[in-house]
Amino acid sequence: MKKGQVYEGVVERVDFPNLGKVSIAGEEKRLVVKNVIPGQRVQVVCQKVRDEQAKGRLLEVLQHSPLETRKPVCSIFPACGGCMYQTMSYDSQLDMKEQQVKDILNQVVDGDYLFEGILPSPKKFAYRNKMEFSFGDDHKDGPLTLGLHKKSSTYDILTADDCKLAHIDMTDVLTCVLAYFQEKKVGYYKKMQHTGFLRHLLLRRGENTGDLLVNLVTTGQEEHDLKPLVDRLLALPLEGRIVGVIHILNDALSDVVQCDAMELLFGRAYLMERLLGLSFKITPFSFFQPNTKGAEIIYRKVQEYLGDVQGQVVYDLFSGTGTISQVLAKKARKVYGIEIVEEAVLAARENAKENGLDNCIFIAGDVFEQLEEILEKPDVLVLDPPRDGIHPKALPKIINIGCDRIVYVSCKVTSLARDLEGLQAAGYRVEKLCLVDQFCHTVHIECVTLLTRSEATQ
């Protein structure tokens, strides 16, 4: 197998995350190629050859997979990087994701554990309550676009005006905003030259309330009257209602959405959402699970795994806007939530007050630093870290707390596998685990794991 050579082969399987293994006739090595589906016959180019494996790039799908039983539901599939598996039947997606997780965890989990399978998302499309769209063009010097990146592209943006992962209210807003700036001939921010105005459109929508928060992210390099845009947005015939329009200034060189300054153009700077009988205030940058109906399944599973927390103290680490904390606080004696994003902590405190919960204490700061500051020790722990998992410095402190039961919620199984090795080395064992498909048609999957301490460790 040679670098630069073009090959044809069949995708044997796809490993997490989005790593297709392509077998080539007459070759011992298998090419690792992204953006493929098991069973496809593909044309690929070899990009790198190593002792154990070779890496390649997909050039063309020559023959569809038997698993591809549906036609694409949007106009920019498969070029768009927003979702990967929409032409597969949903059952086939679930089967593949379940096997991917088992293949990884069975290599690291000590002893037997109860694998409870995968729970489907209640909604297969229009399930996302948050969409982050980018301004750009889909080819160099092309017309203004607003949407999602092309697969494996840093620069090319495809207009996602019929994205099926987002609610139609969101795509209607996208279409309105794009048309407005095309008419005004306003340009987008070019990352290499560090010039331009338009950067992102961040949309958040309450699944159970219909509240819609519109956040336009730009640089401060130009000044434009945005009132006519607000008037157009408020005139849209939406299923829900726009409760706030915000202009966010971001002059950072990186492409990360952040806020240097904020101007409220209409309404309020937050939306309200309801989940499991509780109300939550969601601000532009506060963390909230992106699939509300899927989140409800996760939180019920967390409650089930923790068991009866009546009269107990709970630590909810990496607590975001305090959703899990408040769900558990309805029965627990006290819940401590620790979250590094201060905006999310402020929202969590307001949410708890709104829900009449006076037994929640939310602390802003790094988990590694804040664990030693709490004098009251917990009976049980909930871990819901970011995608990269628990920081290696924080894991020993979490272990030293000595809780007999830990429930770990993970959105990246490889990070979970790494952290499980450390937890098991400290005397914890995996009792049971289930998966929740929060992200239909994408490569992602959510894991909920129950760990207990052995008697010898106690």
Side-chain angles (χ1 to χ4, degrees):
M1 195 168 288
K2 295 181 180 179
K3 182 178 178 181
Q5 184 74 39
V6 175
Y7 298 93
E8 291 184 10
V10 176
V11 182
E12 287 186 352
R13 69 180 193 273
V14 175
D15 294 337
F16 180 88
N18 190 23
L19 301 176
K21 302 298 177 67
V22 180
S23 62
I24 311 294
E27 298 285 348
E28 291 185 9
K29 290 186 176 70
R30 282 157 178 73
L31 268 173
V32 178
V33 180
K34 291 185 175 183
N35 306 322
V36 293
I37 290 173
Q40 287 178 335
R41 184 167 188 82
V42 294
Q43 185 183 71
V44 296
V45 61
C46 181
Q47 294 179 304
K48 187 182 295 184
V49 181
R50 291 183 175 176
D51 292 338
E52 297 181 0
Q53 66 179 20
K55 292 185 178 180
R57 176 171 56 86
L58 175 68
L59 297 178
E60 185 182 356
V61 176
L62 303 173
Q63 184 177 337
H64 289 296
S65 164
L67 299 176
E68 293 182 271
T69 58
R70 300 189 307 190
K71 293 182 179 179
V73 297
C74 74
S75 61
I76 55 177
F77 181 87
C80 172
C83 62
M84 183 64 239
Y85 305 124
Q86 62 167 264
T87 55
M88 294 175 66
S89 74
Y90 189 55
D91 286 343
S92 295
Q93 293 181 41
L94 296 181
D95 291 343
M96 182 178 68
K97 290 182 177 183
E98 183 174 310
Q99 191 59 52
Q100 288 175 345
V101 172
K102 289 171 73 174
D103 288 345
I104 292 170
L105 293 185
N106 286 345
Q107 296 181 50
V108 300
V109 176
D110 299 331
D112 296 329
Y113 67 99
L114 176 61
F115 184 81
E116 296 187 325
I118 186 168
L119 299 171
S121 173
K123 294 181 70 176
K124 311 304 182 287
F125 292 102
Y127 61 83
R128 287 195 62 96
N129 57 43
K130 177 185 176 183
M131 292 296 294
E132 186 180 300
F133 297 116
S134 299
F135 288 94
D137 51 27
D138 64 7
H139 61 275
K140 189 176 181 181
D141 300 323
L144 182 68
T145 57
L146 175 56
L148 301 168
H149 286 265
K150 282 185 181 178
K151 281 190 176 79
S152 306
S153 174
T154 305
Y155 300 102
D156 299 335
I157 303 296
L158 298 169
T159 293
D161 55 2
D162 64 344
C163 176
K164 296 301 186 290
L165 301 188
H167 191 278
I168 192 171
D169 282 356
M170 292 181 168
T171 50
D172 284 350
V173 168
L174 179 151
T175 302
C176 175
V177 171
L178 177 60
Y180 178 83
F181 287 115
Q182 285 176 334
E183 291 170 18
K184 300 293 183 182
K185 294 181 169 50
V186 179
Y188 70 92
Y189 174 75
K190 296 184 178 180
K191 289 177 281 189
M192 296 299 291
Q193 293 89 347
H194 307 305
T195 59
F197 182 65
L198 300 168
R199 299 196 71 156
H200 299 94
L201 180 66
L202 174 62
L203 302 178
R204 306 196 75 151
R205 186 182 188 278
E207 171 70 31
N208 294 317
T209 63
D211 285 3
L212 186 65
L213 195 61
V214 180
N215 306 276
L216 176 67
V217 185
T218 75
T219 68
Q221 296 180 19
E222 302 173 16
E223 290 190 9
H224 295 274
D225 181 10
L226 298 175
K227 186 180 184 306
L229 173 61
V230 174
D231 292 339
R232 283 199 200 184
L233 288 169
L234 296 179
L236 290 173
L238 304 175
E239 287 185 19
R241 64 183 184 122
I242 294 175
V243 297
V245 182
I246 302 169
H247 180 202
I248 295 171
L249 291 179
N250 174 17
D251 282 310
L253 296 181
S254 69
D255 200 32
V256 177
V257 178
Q258 66 180 50
C259 179
D260 296 334
M262 180 185 295
E263 178 188 7
L264 185 62
L265 302 177
F266 166 79
R268 61 185 193 233
Y270 63 91
L271 63 84
M272 296 302 299
E273 178 62 303
R274 291 192 301 272
L275 186 148
L276 296 180
L278 297 169
S279 295
F280 294 95
K281 177 180 178 180
I282 303 172
T283 54
F285 296 104
S286 58
F287 176 78
F288 195 84
Q289 290 284 358
N291 179 343
T292 305
K293 297 298 184 184
E296 290 176 341
I297 294 176
I298 292 172
Y299 299 156
R300 288 193 185 100
K301 185 57 69 170
V302 170
Q303 287 178 300
E304 176 191 324
Y305 279 9
L306 282 180
D308 186 9
V309 294
Q310 190 76 39
Q312 293 188 338
V313 175
V314 181
Y315 278 12
D316 177 15
L317 306 185
F318 317 97
S319 54
T321 51
T323 43
I324 292 179
S325 297
Q326 291 171 71
V327 168
L328 297 175
K330 291 191 288 186
K331 289 190 176 180
R333 179 169 66 82
K334 190 175 291 184
V335 180
Y336 291 90
I338 302 178
E339 167 61 46
I340 197 168
V341 180
E342 190 167 349
E343 180 186 357
V345 173
L346 294 173
R349 291 169 181 166
E350 290 186 36
N351 289 334
K353 185 177 180 180
E354 177 74 20
N355 290 315
L357 298 169
D358 58 5
N359 59 338
C360 291
I361 299 174
F362 293 104
I363 300 166
D366 191 297
V367 166
F368 172 72
E369 296 173 353
Q370 297 299 323
L371 278 177
E372 294 180 352
E373 301 299 318
I374 308 174
L375 299 179
E376 192 170 19
K377 297 306 175 187
D379 298 293
V380 291
L381 270 179
V382 177
L383 308 175
D384 189 6
R387 190 171 298 278
D388 289 336
I390 301 169
H391 193 281
K393 289 184 178 180
L395 190 59
K397 289 196 174 184
I398 291 170
I399 290 168
N400 287 338
I401 293 171
C403 282
D404 294 340
R405 294 172 78 82
I406 296 176
V407 174
Y408 190 139
V409 180
S410 170
C411 58
K412 186 177 181 182
V413 65
T414 48
S415 299
L416 171 65
R418 182 203 65 217
D419 292 341
L420 287 182
E421 289 188 280
L423 288 161
Q424 289 177 141
Y428 285 93
R429 67 179 298 270
V430 176
E431 290 282 344
K432 50 187 173 181
L433 178 147
C434 83
L435 311 179
V436 180
D437 188 34
Q438 270 224 106
F439 309 101
C440 316
H441 319 297
T442 77
V443 303
H444 305 293
I445 186 70
E446 202 89 6
C447 305
V448 185
T449 306
L450 170 64
L451 299 108
T452 59
R453 275 203 313 169
S454 66
E455 290 186 10
T457 306
Q458 295 174 38

